[in-house]
Amino acid sequence: MYDLLIRNARIVDGTGAPWFYGDLAVKDGRIAALGKLSGEATETVDAGGLYLTPGFIDIHSHSDGALLRCPTAESRILQGVTTDVGGNCGGSVAPTGRYPSMADYLAAAEQARPSINSATLVGHGTLREAVMGYSVQPAAPEQVEQMRSLAARAMEEGAFGISSGLIYPPGCYASAEELAEVVSAVAPYGGFYATHMRNEGRDVVRSVEEALWVAGQAGVRLQISHHKVTHKPDWQVSCRTTVAMIARARRQGLDVTCDQYPYSASATSMSSNVPAWAFEGGVEAMIARLKDPDTRAKLRDESNASHLGRWGDIYVAYVQTPENQWMVGKSIADIAGALGGKDPADTCFDIVIAENDRVGEVNFGMCEEDIEYIMSQPFVMPGSDGEAMPLDAPGKPHPRNFGAFVRVLSRYSRDRGLFPLEEAVRKMTALPASRIGLFDRGVLREGMWADLVLLDLDRLKDDPDYQNPQQPCSGICRVYVNGVLTALEGRHTGARAGQVLRRK
């Protein structure tokens, strides 16, 4: 007697092998049998030839904090994501003032009872802030050792690795040598290093070199986060160099892979357009510098010089104050024009001040040719760079939060033919599972946890877009998390059967 029996499915098992017709049974949250099955079940589903895949694993998310606010995680579940890895880009919820240890955070996550499985990295930027605040000074040996100790403790308490965000203060103040020393603390635990590199524009090649060097020195596996090229003159050029560098490093024995979101726009905080030196001392100090006329003039000149031709590509995605809601969905250039031809950097700075640095942006900076070239590499997996959100989330968040995985399947696999469906599924299941170290998820095999997606490939569509992102994707018929039905035809069932995962 099974708990669940799905009959007559085209099974895509996650390994990249060709799909096959069969049945799948679930008992006590795990896959009990596959093949042509007999027997009865509490729930029997006739798939009618629809595709059955493992639940999708998002190796690059920022859901560690978001799940505490939105444990139902509609933006994840309704596109088939059943496991999220948070703590990316150098920022993690622990260790911080609210959660002094990773154990404290993971306990709070369990109390939230999320709908998805959740894992996390520890952020280098968070460690540096805990030890040094927002200091631009090089870390002294004893400070490096403090960061290493905190990183090791986080790993012992369940983190899966360490991340860096080298465009964000205070992590960006660290040298490559400091990074290698701190990152090496996760090596004895089998942790991996995920990096938002120091530059994804003009200096992307040198940034890849630095990432490879840090991982090699630290003796850890490397995950290059959301790989892309944002400098327009280098489109269709630099990514071929970086891909070749990564392939060469793999041939030479360095375990390096990448993730990527399938969109031509990025998303981050609006204050990322403020030069990094302004953040010394923290956000309050940065805002004070923006308010000081002489300092602001220097920041304005530097920001405008680095943003030539770019202000029209940067859009406000979210603000808190009622008076600025009219800006959502508009570019900085358009807002500056509406304010009487105001300087665009001044416009950006004033929004950051008015919103106390709680303002998000969407930034168009990549080309489709690069997206497809990077995506086609066998060592590249999807990663949304999104987070758990409800369908009524405010503003216009990036559609990657709601549709990244379905977009890979529908646009790039089915429509563009970059790779077969089986390879697309491997990239978002078995590949990230092995990367993280989740050896009981990501593949449809007896004994594995029953994270499952039943999808209609013909109807599959990433409906979320830049103007209307907060909506489910078409064609995701059923989503099971640990054997529990959590989404049905674009609607969340209310189930909260996710597990908070810890490194073993």
Side-chain angles (χ1 to χ4, degrees), residues 64 68 93-94 99 101-114 118-121 153-160 499-503:
D64 43 335
L68 303 177
V93 176
Y99 300 106
S101 72
M102 189 61 68
D104 294 326
Y105 162 68
L106 294 174
E110 285 180 326
Q111 290 180 347
R113 295 177 47 244
S118 174
T120 190
L121 308 174
R153 181 182 177 187
M155 294 296 294
E156 290 170 357
E157 293 174 344
F160 284 81
Q499 297 179 8
V500 174
L501 308 177
R502 291 171 172 80
R503 183 197 61 82

Side-chain angles (χ1 to χ4, degrees), residues 274 277-278 283-300 345-346 348-357:
V274 179
W277 59 267
V283 171
E284 290 184 5
M286 178 270 292
I287 290 176
R289 290 185 178 97
L290 293 181
K291 291 179 178 180
D292 176 74
D294 292 338
T295 308
R296 182 185 179 111
K298 296 176 183 177
L299 291 167
R300 179 197 310 121
D346 276 329
C348 172
F349 296 168
D350 284 344
I351 297 171
V352 170
I353 293 170
E355 301 296 326
N356 196 32
D357 196 30

Side-chain angles (χ1 to χ4, degrees), residues 20-179:
F20 60 94
Y21 276 112
D23 310 328
L24 183 145
V26 176
K27 181 71 174 176
D28 297 330
R30 292 182 181 266
I31 298 171
L34 292 95
K36 190 62 179 175
L37 304 178
S38 59
E40 297 181 355
T42 303
E43 178 189 10
T44 300
V45 176
D46 186 349
L50 298 179
Y51 290 92
L52 183 65
T53 78
F56 308 145
I57 298 174
D58 191 347
I59 197 170
H60 188 101
S61 87
H62 295 275
S63 288
D64 43 335
L67 281 174
L68 303 177
R69 304 184 298 271
C70 181
T72 48
E74 287 92 336
S75 64
R76 320 275 75 205
I77 286 293
L78 298 181
Q79 61 173 309
V81 172
T82 57
T83 301
D84 248 11
V85 182
N88 277 286
C89 295
S92 54
V93 176
T96 59
R98 184 174 182 184
Y99 300 106
S101 72
M102 189 61 68
D104 294 326
Y105 162 68
L106 294 174
E110 285 180 326
Q111 290 180 347
R113 295 177 47 244
S115 289
I116 61 172
N117 305 308
S118 174
T120 190
L121 308 174
V122 63
H124 162 261
T126 301
L127 299 177
R128 202 175 204 271
E129 182 179 1
V131 172
M132 302 177 60
Y134 276 73
S135 172
V136 300
Q137 299 302 314
E142 60 272 19
Q143 292 171 320
V144 170
E145 192 53 43
Q146 285 180 273
M147 286 186 268
R148 284 175 49 82
S149 177
L150 289 172
R153 181 182 177 187
M155 294 296 294
E156 290 170 357
E157 293 174 344
F160 284 81
I162 189 169
S163 72
S164 66
L166 302 182
I167 72 164
Y168 302 115
C172 65
Y173 303 139
S175 67
E177 291 74 17
E178 175 192 315
L179 282 166

Side-chain angles (χ1 to χ4, degrees), residues 290-359:
L290 293 181
K291 291 179 178 180
D292 176 74
D294 292 338
T295 308
R296 182 185 179 111
K298 296 176 183 177
L299 291 167
R300 179 197 310 121
D301 291 345
E302 187 173 331
S303 189
N304 277 329
S306 65
H307 284 66
L308 288 174
R310 291 180 52 207
W311 290 116
D313 295 329
I314 300 172
Y315 289 73
V316 174
Y318 166 78
V319 293
Q320 286 192 316
T321 62
E323 57 268 27
N324 285 339
Q325 292 299 321
W326 67 273
M327 299 178 179
V328 174
K330 294 181 172 60
S331 73
I332 294 297
D334 289 341
I335 296 169
L339 295 175
K342 189 173 181 177
D343 179 89
D346 276 329
T347 301
C348 172
F349 296 168
D350 284 344
I351 297 171
V352 170
I353 293 170
E355 301 296 326
N356 196 32
D357 196 30
R358 293 182 176 87
V359 51

Side-chain angles (χ1 to χ4, degrees), residues 259-470:
D259 54 71
Q260 175 204 44
Y261 47 81
Y263 297 90
S264 60
S266 60
T268 187
S269 60
M270 186 64 70
S271 62
S272 65
N273 301 290
V274 179
W277 59 267
F279 286 83
E280 181 177 8
V283 171
E284 290 184 5
M286 178 270 292
I287 290 176
R289 290 185 178 97
L290 293 181
K291 291 179 178 180
D292 176 74
D294 292 338
T295 308
R296 182 185 179 111
K298 296 176 183 177
L299 291 167
R300 179 197 310 121
D301 291 345
E302 187 173 331
S303 189
N304 277 329
S306 65
H307 284 66
L308 288 174
R310 291 180 52 207
W311 290 116
D313 295 329
I314 300 172
Y315 289 73
V316 174
Y318 166 78
V319 293
Q320 286 192 316
T321 62
E323 57 268 27
N324 285 339
Q325 292 299 321
W326 67 273
M327 299 178 179
V328 174
K330 294 181 172 60
S331 73
I332 294 297
D334 289 341
I335 296 169
L339 295 175
K342 189 173 181 177
D343 179 89
D346 276 329
T347 301
C348 172
F349 296 168
D350 284 344
I351 297 171
V352 170
I353 293 170
E355 301 296 326
N356 196 32
D357 196 30
R358 293 182 176 87
V359 51
E361 71 172 33
V362 168
N363 187 341
F364 289 85
M366 290 81 78
C367 72
E368 194 67 21
E369 292 83 357
D370 284 2
I371 292 170
E372 293 194 357
Y373 183 73
I374 293 170
M375 187 183 297
S376 66
Q377 306 306 315
F379 50 76
V380 175
M381 62 200 80
S384 74
D385 202 6
E387 64 181 59
M389 291 183 178
L391 289 178
D392 60 354
K396 293 185 183 295
H398 198 299
R400 68 190 184 187
N401 291 284
F402 297 86
F405 285 76
V406 170
R407 185 173 176 83
V408 171
L409 291 169
S410 60
R411 176 180 173 83
Y412 292 101
S413 175
R414 183 194 62 199
D415 298 344
R416 294 287 297 150
L418 258 62
F419 31 69
L421 173 66
E422 293 89 343
E423 173 63 3
V425 171
R426 182 193 72 86
K427 282 173 169 284
M428 54 185 64
T429 58
L431 182 58
S434 64
R435 195 72 189 141
I436 299 161
L438 301 178
F439 299 113
D440 53 3
R441 301 181 190 273
V443 177
L444 301 184
R445 289 284 186 272
E446 290 184 19
M448 307 289 273
W449 285 103
D451 298 333
L452 308 169
V453 176
L454 187 66
L455 62 89
D456 184 338
L457 187 60
D458 292 336
R459 289 197 298 121
L460 204 62
K461 186 175 186 298
D462 60 311
D463 299 292
D465 58 28
Y466 292 102
Q467 292 305 311
N468 187 21
Q470 302 99 322

